[in-house]
Amino acid sequence: MNALKRYGVARIISKRGYCSRSEAERLVRAGSVTLEGRRVADPETPAAQDSHISVNGKVVTAQAFRYFILNKPRGIITSASDEKGRRTVIDLIQPLNLPHIAPVGRLDAASEGLLLLTNDTAFADSVLAPETHREKEYHVQTNKIPAEEDLQKCEAGFTVPARIYGKPPEYMQMRSAEILRANGKTAWLKIILDEGKNREIRRMLEALGYEVQRLIRVRIGNISLGDLKPGEIREIPKP
């Protein structure tokens, strides 16, 4: 972020690792934020990277960037809060008294495995940007053994019906899809995506007649889940 360029004060607060962008906007609107000694009420009030900003009288300084990996258990929501009262990843790590960190991207409630958390929003944006092509590897259990031609269809890509009525269908494509092992009627697949669209693996396989029984993300780029157990979190160096 250019020190001379001006950005909305809420964005500056978030970039300093104090809290999420939405929480910073809430704090500004609540009258809790002063910029150069003056109270501001508009989250888009221009501020520089080196501006003096306080929240409830406490100076907001740039936090050291920290990076964590979590093995998200099944049934946990990848969100800071949930309107239905379901348990979230933030609830999971709350007792650990960690600094403000936020999930990078999402895993849906039924999915498990590797989730990155950080207060480095620029790094988070780079992980999620399609142009960076960070591979995401998943191990997926299906209710039956996929035919080789169906795996080839996944790699070639095809149009998947809309998830929500009235929305257009979406083109989806897997970088690779292969059988890891088969046991009786079920199979475990190794699937790699370049860009993870909403419920992409589930929707592609369901369109071909397969039910996903388990879906575990095991790798993002060069970051692997390793031996981390469900619910465990580990700090890592900047990837």
Side-chain angles (χ1 to χ4, degrees):
M1 187 184 289
N2 189 324
L4 299 178
K5 190 173 178 180
R6 301 182 76 79
Y7 303 87
V9 65
R11 182 180 177 188
I12 297 289
I13 293 171
S14 174
K15 290 289 185 184
R16 290 183 184 178
Y18 181 84
C19 62
S20 68
R21 178 82 167 267
S22 59
E23 176 63 10
E25 291 173 352
R26 188 194 69 77
L27 288 167
V28 174
R29 292 192 181 100
S32 302
V33 175
T34 59
L35 171 62
E36 304 296 353
R38 294 180 296 106
R39 196 168 303 280
V40 291
D42 182 356
E44 294 302 321
T45 302
Q49 189 177 358
D50 57 357
S51 290
H52 186 280
I53 300 170
S54 296
V55 175
N56 293 321
K58 183 179 178 180
V59 177
V60 177
T61 56
Q63 303 293 307
F65 290 142
R66 297 177 69 181
Y67 310 85
F68 297 83
I69 58 173
L70 169 73
N71 187 342
K72 186 191 88 67
R74 193 171 187 170
I76 300 293
I77 307 299
T78 309
S79 174
S81 61
D82 181 65
E83 67 281 357
K84 297 180 181 177
R86 295 171 294 181
R87 198 175 183 205
T88 72
V89 293
I90 301 302
D91 294 329
L92 196 66
I93 65 174
Q94 196 83 46
L96 302 178
N97 198 29
L98 296 172
H100 162 72
I101 52 175
V104 180
R106 289 179 177 269
L107 278 175
D108 63 50
S111 300
E112 313 163 53
L114 178 61
L115 185 67
L116 294 171
L117 298 103
T118 184
N119 57 353
D120 184 347
T121 56
F123 168 75
D125 290 344
S126 74
V127 171
L128 299 175
E131 57 270 17
T132 60
H133 296 293
R134 287 182 188 256
E135 288 186 349
K136 298 172 182 66
E137 181 180 336
Y138 301 81
H139 291 177
V140 181
Q141 185 182 32
T142 53
N143 65 324
K144 54 186 177 180
I145 301 170
E148 182 58 35
E149 56 265 33
D150 285 336
L151 297 180
Q152 290 174 2
K153 287 178 184 176
C154 289
E155 293 179 345
F158 59 90
T159 299
V160 178
R163 204 173 123 254
I164 301 172
Y165 180 77
K167 297 288 185 180
E170 289 184 82
Y171 178 80
M172 295 180 173
Q173 183 178 18
M174 298 177 185
R175 171 177 279 197
S176 66
E178 61 184 86
I179 295 175
L180 275 176
R181 60 186 181 275
N183 181 15
K185 294 182 179 179
T186 69
W188 278 93
L189 312 180
K190 174 183 172 181
I191 293 175
I192 295 177
L193 302 180
D194 270 339
E195 177 189 358
K197 297 180 180 177
N198 190 275
R199 298 176 65 86
E200 184 168 7
I201 293 173
R202 294 180 187 276
R203 292 168 65 191
M204 291 185 76
L205 290 174
E206 285 167 7
L208 296 172
Y210 303 97
E211 178 187 330
V212 172
Q213 297 181 327
R214 288 186 71 188
L215 189 154
I216 306 169
R217 184 161 63 195
V218 298
R219 181 173 62 86
I220 299 174
N222 62 351
I223 308 164
S224 295
L225 186 62
D227 59 358
L228 208 60
K229 294 181 175 60
E232 286 186 346
I233 188 168
R234 178 184 298 154
E235 188 163 9
I236 60 172
K238 182 175 181 179

